[in-house]
Amino acid sequence: MTNQLKLSEQQSFKAPAIVSIALFLGVIAISFGAIFIRWSEYELSPIATVFNRFWLGSVVFGLWHSGLTIRQWFWDDKSVQQEPYTRQDFLLLLGAGTFFATSLVLVAWSLTQTSVAISSLLHNLSPIFTSLGAWLLFSVGFNRQFLIGMALAIGGAIVIELEQLGGAPNNLLGDVAAIISAVFLAAYLLVVEQLRTKFSPITIQLWICAIATVVLFPIVLLSGDKFFPSTFGGWLAVICFSLVCQVLGHGLLIYSLEKLSSVVVSLFHLLEPVFAGVFAFVIFWEKLSFSHWVGFAVVLIGLYLVVSSQAAVHSSLNQLERN
């Protein structure tokens, strides 16, 4: 009996660690987004690039979901479950796709109105709104270690952008758009966390990509931007953008929401500008300052405290259930 309890405790600690690694890899994949947008901007606007990301993602997940359905029909595969949709499910799926598309549109527009540093800093305040939403809507409490880790992670993200903030041009409307984009990102994560209790990442991704495509279509149309690239390099950029950032990156992010809370996932998003800076250095030879590395270290320390706090909570809950 004692050996079984020890094994159960080891598994409870191991599960968050594996999911954290998956989330870490997902954030790395998402961080390539700035590179792909810069690559595609020779032909497309940022919003048109995001539109291509979603419709291509809809095709990928549509084929994937259809393949799983066909396998269930012909081979009676019990691993593929058909979940009945309720009215609440449709509303949550519609909300997730709309919130995510709106967040990306707002942050893309804010980049045209204010500096990259200010836009990134304000957009990365989403953990605050995610924590507030979890507390207000679901009565989620946070222990002292979690709050200290969150403060360190957000502080580290501010340090990363601190050097670029001095004398950076800003516009009030652009700043407000960046803050609102953080609110919509927080809402998206909270909704997807609820959807993960019932649906698989593939199903959620299919709905999100399809809804976001519908939301973005009239925006691109009204803006007068070109919808699709016209060269091989342009198509390669948007295809890589969709496969790496949406299929792989957000696929791992949504997968992790089964074990980790939306607040923890939003905090991992703070690593995105760090990885983006590293990739920009490797690909475009953009210089990384000392403050970038200090901020990176502080963010990692904060995330370690947050994840270990979550693991301790899961372990305590398991012990209470056994008793």
Side-chain angles (χ1 to χ4, degrees), residues 48-298:
T49 301
V50 173
F51 169 77
N52 280 273
R53 161 181 170 165
F54 282 124
W55 80 258
L56 286 168
S58 300
V59 173
V60 171
F61 287 110
L63 293 173
W64 196 342
H65 192 274
S66 298
L68 293 176
T69 303
I70 292 172
R71 187 178 69 178
Q72 184 186 31
W73 285 347
F74 287 94
W75 284 275
D76 194 24
D77 188 354
K78 300 299 183 182
S79 63
V80 182
Q81 298 180 356
Q82 292 289 339
E83 305 91 349
Y85 290 89
T86 64
R87 181 180 179 183
Q88 182 181 4
D89 295 334
F90 283 117
L91 291 175
L92 288 174
L93 290 166
L94 179 62
T98 305
F99 293 154
F100 192 36
T102 305
S103 176
L104 292 181
V105 169
L106 286 171
V107 75
W109 185 79
S110 73
L111 289 172
T112 67
Q113 303 296 314
T114 189
S115 69
V116 175
I118 293 176
S119 177
S120 300
L121 178 62
L122 296 176
H123 180 69
N124 284 327
L125 294 178
S126 61
I128 297 176
F129 300 113
T130 311
S131 304
L132 185 62
W135 176 61
L136 290 175
L137 299 175
F138 308 112
S139 301
V140 176
F142 307 100
N143 60 31
R144 182 180 299 178
Q145 180 179 334
F146 186 97
L147 294 175
I148 292 174
M150 184 173 71
L152 284 174
I154 295 175
I158 294 175
V159 169
I160 293 170
E161 304 293 345
L162 198 59
E163 184 177 327
Q164 304 176 47
L165 290 177
N170 70 307
N171 178 287
L172 180 59
L173 289 177
D175 297 348
V176 171
I179 294 175
I180 297 176
S181 75
V183 175
F184 275 100
L185 178 61
Y188 160 74
L189 292 174
L190 288 167
V191 170
V192 173
E193 183 180 7
Q194 300 302 307
L195 289 170
R196 278 297 282 127
T197 61
K198 182 174 182 179
F199 298 105
S200 69
I202 297 173
T203 301
I204 296 172
Q205 280 270 47
L206 174 59
W207 278 92
I208 287 175
C209 289
I211 292 170
T213 300
V214 174
V215 171
L216 289 174
F217 179 81
I219 297 176
V220 180
L221 184 65
L222 293 174
S223 68
D225 296 329
K226 185 169 66 171
F227 274 91
F228 308 108
S230 55
T231 66
F232 175 78
W235 276 110
L236 186 61
V238 296
I239 290 173
C240 290
F241 187 33
S242 181
L243 293 179
V244 175
C245 297
Q246 188 63 42
V247 177
L248 178 61
H250 274 273
L252 290 172
L253 184 150
I254 292 176
Y255 162 78
S256 67
L257 280 168
E258 185 180 15
K259 298 294 183 181
L260 297 176
S261 70
S262 54
V263 181
V264 175
V265 173
S266 66
L267 285 168
F268 267 81
H269 262 285
L270 297 175
L271 291 172
E272 185 178 343
V274 180
F275 292 134
V278 172
F279 299 148
F281 169 74
V282 173
I283 298 174
F284 299 111
W285 292 98
E286 293 185 1
K287 184 180 178 181
L288 287 176
S289 65
F290 177 72
S291 64
H292 280 84
W293 298 110
V294 172
F296 187 30
V298 174

Side-chain angles (χ1 to χ4, degrees), residues 20-41:
S20 299
I21 293 172
L23 179 56
F24 190 81
L25 295 175
V27 174
I28 291 178
I30 293 171
S31 303
F32 279 99
I35 306 298
F36 294 130
I37 290 177
R38 181 176 298 186
W39 183 7
S40 67
E41 69 182 3

